[in-house]
Amino acid sequence: MSIIPPPAPEPVPSVRDLLAFYREAGVDCALGEAAMDRLAEQPLPAPAMRERAAAAPLPPAAGLRPGTAPGAAMPAAPEAAIASAREAARTAPTLEALRALLAEFDGCGLKATATRLVFADGNPQARVMFVGEAPGRDEDLSGLPFVGRSGKLLDLMLRAIGLDRTTAYIANVIPWRPPGNRDPSPQETQICLPFIKRQIELVDPDVLVCLGKPSSQAILELKDGIMRTRGRWRDYHTGTRTIRAMATFHPAYLLRQPIYKRMTWLDLRAIAKALHETAAPS
Ligand code: URA
């Protein structure tokens, strides 16, 4: 009779292994000082009470969401937040004022989990403005858009047509990093939209370039995917005038699908040509 040895116990993961696992899974930011069992908090009200509970006004102390760090304001309901974003953005007379308003704005929940506001980089006098989707980890830490891997590729794309961050202006639809780089929700996008639209109006570029589908959907209101929409000139109404706008591939997409760099090159050349055509005669 042969004796089967018991299976060796699984090695206990080290703290380093666990952290690496969390980071790969996108869990890379802390929402509060203390760990919280979110499944244990707030038992659901009994069925008969649910309707009443939903209709009841929030007590004043409920300015914080359960689990929200003290000091962080609760985001307003989406409609109210969108309305107050519109109002705030409309009143900003300058880019500095807009940045200050955004820094004070509590209507978007992403602010609570982000490290920094990522407003813009580049030259506000530039004739071309590039708009991405939302900051990632590197941008969240530095406070500047497109500084990570896709930012390095964007810099190369700019350089290919004779531009850099002194001759281009760069921003995102969403100015706060979504936790774990998740996609921004439609509500978050709608809440942030008035701010980026006002930013475009204040920069007043001759040419606007939307990087990737989320940016072109939000700003140019294009429904199709980037493969169908890229490379075509559209009219964009800034609020004060109509400018030329184009959707092209997002550099993060090009890092995953380098084959599309060829098409991007066509778009970049069209952008360079448009800048040349609209340049004031010297
Ligand atoms: N991707 C974006 O859309 N924006 C950034 O700033 C960085 C990566």
Side-chain angles (χ1 to χ4, degrees):
M1 186 178 77
S2 64
I3 295 176
I4 302 168
E10 291 275 324
V12 178
S14 67
V15 172
R16 184 186 290 267
D17 293 338
L18 272 177
L19 286 175
F21 171 79
Y22 284 144
R23 188 157 166 210
E24 257 172 43
V27 184
D28 58 3
C29 62
L31 297 185
E33 289 300 314
M36 173 168 297
D37 183 351
R38 285 166 198 277
L39 299 177
E41 71 189 87
Q42 286 221 329
L44 274 180
M49 298 293 288
R50 268 188 210 145
E51 225 171 274
R52 227 180 102 77
L58 289 173
L64 299 181
R65 273 205 279 178
T68 305
M74 184 179 71
E79 297 73 29
I82 294 168
S84 77
R86 282 203 190 117
E87 185 53 25
R90 199 176 58 77
T91 59
T94 61
L95 286 172
E96 294 70 38
L98 188 66
R99 179 199 283 264
L101 275 168
L102 253 179
E104 290 299 308
F105 183 72
D106 282 328
C108 179
L110 294 174
K111 181 183 174 189
T113 52
T115 314
R116 287 178 210 283
L117 170 71
V118 179
F119 185 69
D121 195 16
N123 187 344
Q125 310 295 327
R127 295 183 46 236
V128 56
M129 175 166 176
F130 291 79
V131 182
E133 181 185 14
R137 186 166 183 274
D138 296 312
E139 291 77 19
D140 180 61
L141 294 176
S142 70
L144 291 172
F146 284 99
V147 293
R149 275 186 75 220
S150 52
K152 301 279 175 284
L153 181 53
L154 179 60
D155 285 339
L156 289 177
M157 289 160 62
L158 296 180
R159 207 177 319 149
I161 51 169
L163 297 171
D164 59 23
R165 292 186 188 224
T166 67
T167 47
Y169 185 85
I170 303 167
N172 282 306
V173 174
I174 309 275
W176 295 284
R177 181 201 184 197
N181 292 350
R182 69 160 167 78
D183 290 342
S185 70
Q187 284 92 340
E188 287 158 354
T189 302
Q190 287 309 310
I191 292 167
C192 295
L193 202 51
F195 292 105
I196 184 64
K197 287 192 163 175
R198 181 68 179 147
Q199 207 172 344
I200 297 169
E201 186 176 0
L202 289 167
V203 174
D204 193 24
D206 291 334
V207 172
L208 174 67
V209 184
C210 290
L211 298 166
K213 180 177 166 186
S215 167
S216 21
Q217 276 191 334
I219 294 176
L220 303 179
E221 296 175 16
L222 304 178
K223 303 281 173 271
D224 287 328
I226 197 70
M227 215 62 81
R228 277 175 172 269
T229 58
R230 60 146 280 274
R232 281 178 37 203
W233 287 112
R234 333 241 160 200
D235 281 348
Y236 177 81
H237 306 282
T238 64
T240 45
R241 67 176 178 132
T242 301
I243 60 170
R244 304 180 82 181
M246 183 186 283
T248 191
F249 293 107
H250 192 289
Y253 185 73
L254 295 175
L255 287 172
R256 296 193 300 273
Q257 304 282 347
I259 186 108
Y260 295 117
K261 284 183 183 175
R262 285 185 200 180
M263 290 183 188
T264 313
W265 175 233
L266 297 179
D267 300 348
L268 289 170
R269 286 185 45 195
I271 292 162
K273 186 160 174 267
L275 284 170
H276 184 70
E277 285 167 0
T278 52
S282 48

